[in-house]
Structures are given as C-alpha cells and as structure tokens.
DNA sequence: TTCTCTGCAAATAATTTGCACCCAT
DNA sequence: ATGGGTGCAAATTATTTGCAGAGAA
C-alpha cells in the first residue's frame, strides 16, 4: 500500500501544521472546509489515521472524548497496548525516566514513552 | 450534593478494586452484572464518573476509544486541560520529572502528572 | 490503466440523558 | 420525607464503513 498525496491529504496535513495546535478531527474539518468546501469529514478521519501511521503527524492518546492529532510527530508511565488498548501499571523511577530504566516492562515491547501533566488551562481558570 | 453509598455504587467500587485492572465501563458492567443482574450500564457509567470525582478511583486519560478506570486513585508530560480538554506542549527535562522542574506551565495550574509508556502487550505480540 | 482515495449516507460504538419510581439518609 | 440514585429506552457524540465514481501514479 503506497501513499498518494492527494489534494485533500496535503491540505489536511498543511492545515494541521499551520494551526500549531492539537486539533480533533472535527476541528480540523472546520478549517479545511473553508479551503475545500466539499471535503468530507470521513476523509479527514481517514487521513488523520493514515498520516499518523505514516509518521507525518502524531496521534495523542490522552483525550477526553475525542482523539487529538499533533502537528508534529514526536517521541513521547502507565504502559498500554497500542493494538488492543489494554493498560497495565509499570514501576519507574520518576527522577530517571529513560526506557532502559524501567524496572519491568511486564512483557510489553516498549515503543516509546511520554510524560504528561494535567491541569487547568488559562482560559478555563478565568471561567471559574 | 452528598454521596449516598448505594448497593450499586458499592458493588461497582468493590469489583473494580478486586479486578486490579484498568477496566472500561462495559468490562466492569459485565462483572457487576454477575452479582446484580438487573443493574444498568448507565448506572455503571454514572458511578464511575461519580467515584472518580470523589477521588475513590482514578480515570485514565490515555485511551483508545474507551475511557478506562483505575482501581486506585493515583498521582499521575504534554499538558492538557481537564475541563475543556485542550492540549498544549510543555518543556520538561525528562531526567528530572518533578512538578517544580517544569520550565513553563504555559499558564496552566498544574494538578498532577504521570509518565506513560506505549508498547505492544504480550498477547498482541503473540497474535502477529 | 490501475488502484488508492473520495464523498455520501448509513452503520457502529461509546457515552449521556429524560423520566418516573426507588431507597439511603 | 426528600433529594440523590436507579433502570429503561431514547438521544447524542465520535468514529467507521460500504459503495460507486474520481483521480494520482
């Protein structure tokens, strides 16, 4: 299966990169529609998936309801399976986060890691 | 609003803790149904939400399609908003992950962090 | 030409909600 | 008794898929 660079795919990639944000499929759909009004939401979904498989963009696994996509593919302490989404705990030394410092991978083949913080963003802080 | 400890709520909490896994709502539903056959899936959803707000269990923000719930509430590197789910990048020193070591919080009020690894779990490794 | 890709609409999957009745406090 | 909680069914939200035609390689 080889990748064709269609106008839609190129536009989706370009708009996501231009945004410099972590957009959901429908947020990006709203943006690309301005340029290509007849594009379909399904096309956006399919391309985001394709582009992240190709490594051109990143797919964020943190989420509320929706998946979000990252304008730059990136290397990124729970451990979870990217195929079946099973999750397991893993013991790590938080002061020394490096793949080879994991005490046990529980049998997983580790493909990457990332550190994620939770918090309240500026505009939500203002609302309350 | 005060919390009532109903039989349903207690059972849901107990079964999640007993499982020692990160179950999704419907996986947990299958388990509690064995004990309380007429319980509704909606009740499971409502209680998982309530229990995690109360801090009795944890809600995992990493996900595939489904949310997963953690049998133990836990302290937990992207930064995202727990209210609107906006996501922003944050610069950290991965070798020194501590809240006070973040270079900039981008205006977020940080409530916690966790380190998460990605990989392929043992049973998925076998399937391929 | 040959396949991958697209738009459209319908189908799924996951989660939420309205409502009338129930029960923990 | 009373206000939060429940079951049921219907409604939403997010994402995926079948299909026939379009267009990149």
């Amino acid at each position: 299966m080889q990748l064709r660079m269609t106008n839609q795919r190129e536009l989706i990639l370009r708009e996501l990169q231009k945004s410099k944000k972590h957009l959901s499929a429908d947020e990006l759909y709203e943006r690309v529609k301005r340029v290509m009004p007849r594009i379909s939401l399904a096309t956006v979904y399919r391309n985001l998936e394709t582009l992240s498989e190709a490594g051109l963009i990143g797919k964020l696994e943190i989420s509320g309801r929706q998946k979000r996509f990252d304008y730059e593919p990136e290397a990124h302490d729970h451990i979870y399976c990217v195929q079946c989404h099973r999750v397991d705990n893993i013991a790590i030394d938080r002061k020394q986060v490096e793949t080879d410092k994991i005490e046990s991978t529980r049998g997983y083949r580790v493909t990457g890691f990332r550190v994620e913080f939770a918090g309240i963003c500026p505009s939500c802080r203002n609302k309350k």
Side-chain angles (χ1 to χ4, degrees), chain A residues 106-123:
Chain A
R106 297 275 177 99
Y108 277 76
R109 183 167 67 75
V110 176
T111 57
F113 77 93
R114 57 184 154 189
V115 182
E116 290 172 332
F117 286 82
I120 317 281
C121 75
S123 63

Side-chain angles (χ1 to χ4, degrees), chain A residues 87-118:
Chain A
V87 183
D88 281 302
N89 287 331
I90 196 166
I92 61 153
D93 175 359
R94 290 198 170 206
K95 296 196 181 71
Q96 295 271 321
V97 181
E98 282 178 357
T99 302
D100 57 291
K101 295 273 171 57
I102 305 171
E103 291 174 25
S104 160
T105 65
R106 297 275 177 99
Y108 277 76
R109 183 167 67 75
V110 176
T111 57
F113 77 93
R114 57 184 154 189
V115 182
E116 290 172 332
F117 286 82

